[in-house]
Amino acid sequence: MNETLVTLQGWLGSDVDVRSVGETTVASFRVGCTPRRYSRRTESWGDADTQWYRVNAWRQLAEHCADSLRRGDPVVVHGKMSARTFVDKAGVEVSVLEVEAWSVGHDLNRGVSRFTKTARPVESPAPSVTSETSADAREEVTAA
């Protein structure tokens, strides 16, 4: 598989926008990453230009992002990056970098988070097959 996998560490630049695509939920948000650089000339640290990425999370991850993330939160996003070009309403060609998120979480270098595990729906157990049932089934098969 020749995918471009990335891990972004940055800040949520927008609230999480949730929508439905068919019967699937997708959450979209922007992440801004501002690298720090050391200048030997001035012997000081400074911020480089902020790079913005659109992140899309699908299905259950989308719902968890919507419930957990707010604008300004520090996040770590891991996923597949792609570039997309389109023409906006003003007729200008725009290129964007998008990440299809495989995992998203708060950046715990920047603060504390509390995790709440979601309960999985309880599935009804499959009917058990006893030796009597198996014997009856074999008899029916051989009788037919």
Side-chain angles (χ1 to χ4, degrees):
M1 179 185 303
N2 293 324
E3 303 287 352
T4 304
L5 301 179
V6 296
T7 300
L8 305 175
Q9 179 185 18
W11 301 85
L12 232 65
S14 66
D15 288 324
V16 178
D17 176 44
V18 180
R19 66 187 190 284
S20 293
V21 176
E23 293 185 17
T24 305
T25 304
V26 61
S28 298
F29 51 92
R30 291 173 18 112
V31 173
C33 302
T34 307
R36 300 275 294 161
R37 301 282 188 249
Y38 183 76
S39 170
R40 292 180 191 211
R41 184 176 48 84
T42 63
E43 296 184 3
S44 64
W45 287 92
D47 290 339
D49 292 337
T50 300
Q51 301 162 1
W52 290 97
Y53 302 90
R54 162 116 357 240
V55 177
N56 297 310
W58 294 83
R59 300 173 188 78
Q60 185 133 19
L61 180 57
E63 295 169 14
H64 291 214
C65 286
D67 291 342
S68 302
L69 302 177
R70 300 292 169 259
R71 176 185 220 148
D73 284 355
V75 293
V76 177
V77 176
H78 180 73
K80 178 178 71 169
M81 185 186 304
S82 59
R84 185 169 61 91
T85 303
F86 62 93
V87 177
D88 68 6
K89 294 177 184 176
V92 177
E93 187 173 72
V94 178
S95 295
V96 294
L97 294 175
E98 292 184 326
V99 176
E100 180 182 335
W102 292 349
S103 61
V104 178
H106 285 116
D107 183 353
L108 299 182
N109 278 317
R110 310 237 181 240
V112 176
S113 185
R114 299 282 178 248
F115 182 77
T116 304
K117 187 173 181 176
T118 55
R120 290 187 177 182
V122 178
E123 296 181 19
S124 58
S128 61
V129 178
T130 64
S131 58
E132 286 180 18
T133 307
S134 298
D136 293 342
R138 279 191 298 257
E139 289 175 16
E140 289 178 17
V141 170
T142 54

